[in-house]
Amino acid sequence: MQTSEAHETRPTLAQVARAAGVSEITASRALRGGARVARDTLERVQEAARRLNYVPNRLAGALAGGQSRQVAVVLPSLSNSVFADVLKGLETRLEQAGHHLILGVSNYDPQREERLIAELLTWRPAGLVLAPANSTELTRQRLATADLPVAEIMDIDRPAIDLSVGLSHRGAGRAMAHYLLGRGYRRLAYLGHDITTDPRAVARRQGFEDGLAEAGVALEAALLMPGPSSVTLGSQGTARLLGGCPPGGLAVYCSNDDVAVGAFFHALSQGLSVPGDLALAGFNGLAIGQALPQPLTTIESRRERIGEHAAAGLLARMRGETVQPVDDVGFRLITGATA
Amino acid sequence: MQTSEAHETRPTLAQVARAAGVSEITASRALRGGARVARDTLERVQEAARRLNYVPNRLAGALAGGQSRQVAVVLPSLSNSVFADVLKGLETRLEQAGHHLILGVSNYDPQREERLIAELLTWRPAGLVLAPANSTELTRQRLATADLPVAEIMDIDRPAIDLSVGLSHRGAGRAMAHYLLGRGYRRLAYLGHDITTDPRAVARRQGFEDGLAEAGVALEAALLMPGPSSVTLGSQGTARLLGGCPPGGLAVYCSNDDVAVGAFFHALSQGLSVPGDLALAGFNGLAIGQALPQPLTTIESRRERIGEHAAAGLLARMRGETVQPVDDVGFRLITGATA
DNA sequence: GCAAATCATGACAGCGCTGTCAACAGTTTT
DNA sequence: AAAACTGTTGACAGCGCTGTCATGATTTGC
């Protein structure tokens, strides 16, 4: 706790101020934009800071000023490139506004998510971004009283605590149903991954079935594979699905692009023609799907934009502006060659 | 700056202490593990904290204690799943040790990387993780004096500032050369992406050529495509490469799995047999490569382990232990069906 | 039974910065 | 010429917590 005068110590604002011959507070103002500081004083201070190699201590700044310029982000996973994209969008916008990201990954575990939120809150972030795996009631309560802007991202189908940025997965499912029906498919199946962790996938399937129902069509088959979505899961699932449900004009709506790509690979290795024998549709619009020999029919989910919008919403809230609670970034159906 | 006694204010340690009938410092000790605190006092304090819904303020804690329990991470990209994997490993280990991650993404831009490091350092992190795009001399200097543990990750081929965690990309390239030669391939080509941003890819290619040279073999062709690696780039690059360099026993070493998968797709759409007409090898061991109808021959890069080891190394350094400066996590050649 | 060691607790100061309010010079307004 | 600004600066206190050292209460050793 001693303030050694050895020059090893990182220079503090006080030292910069002394070097520039001004008071601490003037130095502080000069280094933060320079409002209400004479031009030459400003330059003198900046000069001194540069010379001493001054690195401000934002911990102290945040503590004194009561606002931290850090934004906490809790995501369920990073393996899924979807969240990496969102994170990218968030980082870009926030960094640009002088904020920094504290990251937590919940692994789709509500317990862990809850703990992470609580821990990240100890840093007194200026905002919070959540892609809820399955928000606990406790968490919702805590956040409601925590008095900081919260953006819940990915889907807008559920009621949000504060801000909600994403798209209607239900709507996306319906859109795909309409598209496939419009292309003349009447034999429809669903292939999904473990949905207990992925409420968005559930919503899409629901929307898909709704869309079919509107035309009086029912799913011919639905197969849920255990485990998180993956290409391998898609291949294996397709194999199983086709066991009880022969190809030949069958269209399979997959829970996402990874699964659909797997399905495509299975078709390939079995010599099934796509979409003749087996039509395929996914969700997300991942690059890999579009790079297949036949581009995948899917729905683009604009992940990076979700991140950017969430960041923008939080920043606006921090500035005290009122923001519309629901931000629908929409989606776009990509008419590929697989359905 | 006023301490309103309105109960809106977040409870502070002082309030918890008062509620528990102890001094602030005792409360502090009780809430941090409880060393040197009587058992019943400890329980009383924890009780009070729970009742008041106390959330510690780590900004204050870090400022007072002189150590922040945040670790700064600067990565060149998140689009590349490779870095997402590393990040995951880092997060897991650090979170487990009670540390949190502040994230910056440089987009492979050395300027931006430099600025990010400087900014993140203002949070007085306890450690720093870097996957250097191209460390500036200035940055190296600053970090050398910054007096905090720094882990440079991904490759161990270059001299590091402090800790180095990764694998020898040069070695990986050589290993693949040896493997392909061992399989009898004598017509070898290289297909890569824009290497100005990716020194690791350069090292692999170098190693590959070294490996060939040891057997007196030279590359028949090398094609560098502009832009970051992607599946599409792989397909297009392969098309171009095969223009001047006909298939038929040709083995193409791709700069990474994304490119190799693209190459595979190209072969598929052209009806080329793999590996008969065209053999393919990549790098990373991504799931997508292994899920292809024919699993990709590649080298597994253990990204998550790199993250975990980097975290462990930093944590050890924070505890004051001495750590070996270079941590080689190794790699593993995956004998797929494409070469 | 008394010195020495151990345990539990607290007073105090300080981490490095910023908000608030006041002061003072130089300008403009009336 | 007085009043009212405007622009620039600083003194002061305090953000919420922890390290250090000191204190009294207990236990231990011989």
Side-chain angles (χ1 to χ4, degrees), chain A residues 165-225:
Chain A
V165 183
L167 58 99
S168 170
H169 287 253
R170 200 150 183 145
R174 263 183 92 235
M176 188 55 84
H178 290 163
Y179 173 76
L180 292 178
L181 290 171
R183 300 280 287 182
Y185 296 100
R186 285 298 175 276
R187 293 186 55 214
L188 288 312
Y190 174 84
L191 173 59
H193 59 275
D194 178 15
I195 42 88
T196 61
T197 57
D198 190 344
R200 265 82 64 178
V202 177
R204 291 195 293 276
R205 176 186 172 174
Q206 191 60 58
F208 188 71
E209 293 200 50
D210 290 352
L212 295 185
E214 285 162 21
V217 178
L219 275 185
E220 181 172 325
L223 175 59
L224 289 180
M225 300 284 286

Side-chain angles (χ1 to χ4, degrees), chain B residues 95-174:
Chain B
E95 147 67 19
Q96 185 179 311
H99 288 251
H100 298 287
L101 226 45
I102 340 176
L103 180 66
V105 179
S106 74
N107 293 324
Y108 288 101
D109 174 354
Q111 300 290 312
R112 195 171 146 82
E113 177 178 298
E114 188 177 311
R115 198 170 48 92
L116 274 171
I117 293 173
E119 285 187 5
L120 295 189
L121 246 27
T122 65
W123 293 109
R124 295 292 186 268
L128 178 60
V129 179
L130 248 44
N134 217 333
S135 321
T136 329
E137 195 44 47
L138 179 60
T139 302
R140 297 182 72 86
Q141 250 180 47
R142 265 195 210 147
L143 293 181
T145 55
D147 174 45
L148 87 170
V150 178
E152 284 172 286
I153 58 173
M154 303 319 284
D155 73 272
I156 57 172
D157 294 322
R158 302 180 298 172
I161 301 174
D162 189 4
L163 267 49
S164 189
V165 184
L167 58 100
S168 169
H169 287 254
R170 199 147 182 150
R174 263 184 91 234

Side-chain angles (χ1 to χ4, degrees), chain A residues 5-321:
Chain A
E5 273 307 320
H7 69 306
E8 292 302 5
T9 320
R10 282 235 176 95
T12 67
L13 184 61
Q15 296 177 34
V16 174
R18 204 174 315 139
V22 298
S23 73
E24 235 178 297
I25 184 65
T26 299
S28 170
R29 284 193 277 249
L31 293 176
R32 287 179 296 162
R36 306 191 83 38
V37 172
R39 173 172 287 281
D40 59 327
T41 310
L42 193 144
E43 279 166 9
R44 217 147 21 96
V45 173
Q46 290 180 336
E47 218 305 279
R50 210 173 308 122
R51 204 174 58 241
L52 295 183
N53 231 302
Y54 173 65
V55 178
N57 185 333
R58 291 232 217 181
L59 293 174
L63 180 60
Q67 47 167 325
S68 99
R69 281 185 168 284
Q70 287 192 143
V71 171
V73 179
V74 178
L75 300 177
S77 158
L78 285 174
S79 322
N80 193 324
S81 81
V82 165
F83 292 111
D85 291 342
V86 173
L87 192 55
K88 166 106 191 281
L90 281 168
E91 204 273 342
T92 306
R93 263 285 202 296
L94 288 175
E95 149 66 20
Q96 183 179 311
H99 289 250
H100 298 286
L101 228 44
I102 339 175
L103 180 65
V105 180
S106 74
N107 292 325
Y108 289 101
D109 175 353
Q111 300 290 311
R112 195 171 146 80
E113 177 177 298
E114 187 178 312
R115 199 170 47 91
L116 274 171
I117 293 173
E119 284 188 5
L120 295 189
L121 247 28
T122 65
W123 292 109
R124 295 292 187 269
L128 178 60
V129 178
L130 248 44
N134 218 334
S135 320
T136 329
E137 195 45 48
L138 179 60
T139 301
R140 297 181 72 86
Q141 250 180 47
R142 267 195 209 147
L143 293 181
T145 55
D147 176 42
L148 89 169
V150 178
E152 284 172 285
I153 57 173
M154 301 322 283
D155 73 270
I156 56 171
D157 293 323
R158 303 180 297 174
I161 301 174
D162 189 4
L163 267 49
S164 188
V165 183
L167 58 99
S168 170
H169 287 253
R170 200 150 183 145
R174 263 183 92 235
M176 188 55 84
H178 290 163
Y179 173 76
L180 292 178
L181 290 171
R183 300 280 287 182
Y185 296 100
R186 285 298 175 276
R187 293 186 55 214
L188 288 312
Y190 174 84
L191 173 59
H193 59 275
D194 178 15
I195 42 88
T196 61
T197 57
D198 190 344
R200 265 82 64 178
V202 177
R204 291 195 293 276
R205 176 186 172 174
Q206 191 60 58
F208 188 71
E209 293 200 50
D210 290 352
L212 295 185
E214 285 162 21
V217 178
L219 275 185
E220 181 172 325
L223 175 59
L224 289 180
M225 300 284 286
S229 76
S230 72
V231 176
T232 312
L233 180 145
S235 301
Q236 296 172 345
T238 307
R240 266 185 52 191
L241 185 68
L242 297 184
C245 183
L250 180 71
V252 177
Y253 180 46
C254 299
S255 51
N256 65 27
D257 280 5
D258 297 86
V259 174
V261 168
F264 183 85
F265 287 168
H266 176 78
L268 212 61
S269 66
Q270 297 301 303
L272 295 171
S273 91
V274 176
D277 296 326
L278 180 66
L280 295 172
F283 175 83
N284 262 334
L286 297 188
I288 181 72
Q290 299 313 299
L292 291 177
Q294 296 169 254
L296 188 65
T297 293
T298 186
I299 282 180
E300 185 194 62
S301 61
R302 300 174 177 165
R303 281 105 36 206
E304 206 164 326
R305 195 192 295 191
I306 290 179
E308 290 169 3
H309 280 219
L314 288 181
L315 290 167
R317 286 287 306 268
M318 289 172 205
R319 287 191 301 265
E321 301 168 17

Side-chain angles (χ1 to χ4, degrees), chain B residues 5-321:
Chain B
E5 272 307 319
H7 69 305
E8 292 302 7
T9 319
R10 281 234 176 94
T12 67
L13 184 62
Q15 296 176 34
V16 175
R18 205 174 312 139
V22 297
S23 75
E24 235 178 297
I25 184 66
T26 299
S28 170
R29 283 193 278 250
L31 294 175
R32 286 179 297 161
R36 308 192 81 41
V37 172
R39 172 173 288 281
D40 59 327
T41 311
L42 193 145
E43 279 165 9
R44 215 146 24 95
V45 173
Q46 290 180 337
E47 218 305 280
R50 210 174 307 121
R51 204 174 58 241
L52 295 183
N53 230 302
Y54 173 66
V55 178
N57 184 335
R58 292 232 217 180
L59 293 174
L63 180 61
Q67 47 168 326
S68 99
R69 282 185 168 282
Q70 287 191 145
V71 172
V73 178
V74 179
L75 300 177
S77 157
L78 285 175
S79 322
N80 193 323
S81 81
V82 164
F83 293 111
D85 291 342
V86 173
L87 192 54
K88 166 108 189 282
L90 282 168
E91 203 274 342
T92 306
R93 264 285 203 300
L94 288 174
E95 147 67 19
Q96 185 179 311
H99 288 251
H100 298 287
L101 226 45
I102 340 176
L103 180 66
V105 179
S106 74
N107 293 324
Y108 288 101
D109 174 354
Q111 300 290 312
R112 195 171 146 82
E113 177 178 298
E114 188 177 311
R115 198 170 48 92
L116 274 171
I117 293 173
E119 285 187 5
L120 295 189
L121 246 27
T122 65
W123 293 109
R124 295 292 186 268
L128 178 60
V129 179
L130 248 44
N134 217 333
S135 321
T136 329
E137 195 44 47
L138 179 60
T139 302
R140 297 182 72 86
Q141 250 180 47
R142 265 195 210 147
L143 293 181
T145 55
D147 174 45
L148 87 170
V150 178
E152 284 172 286
I153 58 173
M154 303 319 284
D155 73 272
I156 57 172
D157 294 322
R158 302 180 298 172
I161 301 174
D162 189 4
L163 267 49
S164 189
V165 184
L167 58 100
S168 169
H169 287 254
R170 199 147 182 150
R174 263 184 91 234
M176 188 55 85
H178 291 163
Y179 173 76
L180 292 178
L181 290 171
R183 300 280 288 182
Y185 296 102
R186 284 300 174 274
R187 294 186 56 214
L188 289 310
Y190 175 83
L191 173 59
H193 58 276
D194 178 14
I195 43 88
T196 61
T197 57
D198 190 344
R200 264 83 62 179
V202 177
R204 290 195 293 276
R205 178 186 170 175
Q206 191 61 58
F208 188 70
E209 294 200 49
D210 289 353
L212 295 185
E214 286 162 21
V217 177
L219 275 185
E220 180 172 326
L223 175 59
L224 290 179
M225 300 284 285
S229 76
S230 71
V231 176
T232 312
L233 180 145
S235 300
Q236 295 172 348
T238 307
R240 266 186 51 190
L241 185 69
L242 297 184
C245 182
L250 180 72
V252 177
Y253 180 47
C254 300
S255 51
N256 65 26
D257 280 4
D258 299 86
V259 174
V261 168
F264 183 84
F265 287 168
H266 176 78
L268 212 62
S269 66
Q270 296 300 302
L272 295 172
S273 92
V274 176
D277 296 327
L278 180 66
L280 296 171
F283 175 83
N284 263 335
L286 297 188
I288 181 72
Q290 300 312 300
L292 291 177
Q294 296 169 252
L296 187 66
T297 293
T298 186
I299 283 181
E300 186 194 60
S301 61
R302 300 175 177 165
R303 282 109 30 209
E304 206 164 325
R305 195 192 294 191
I306 290 180
E308 290 167 4
H309 279 218
L314 289 181
L315 289 167
R317 286 288 304 266
M318 290 172 206
R319 287 190 301 267
E321 299 167 17

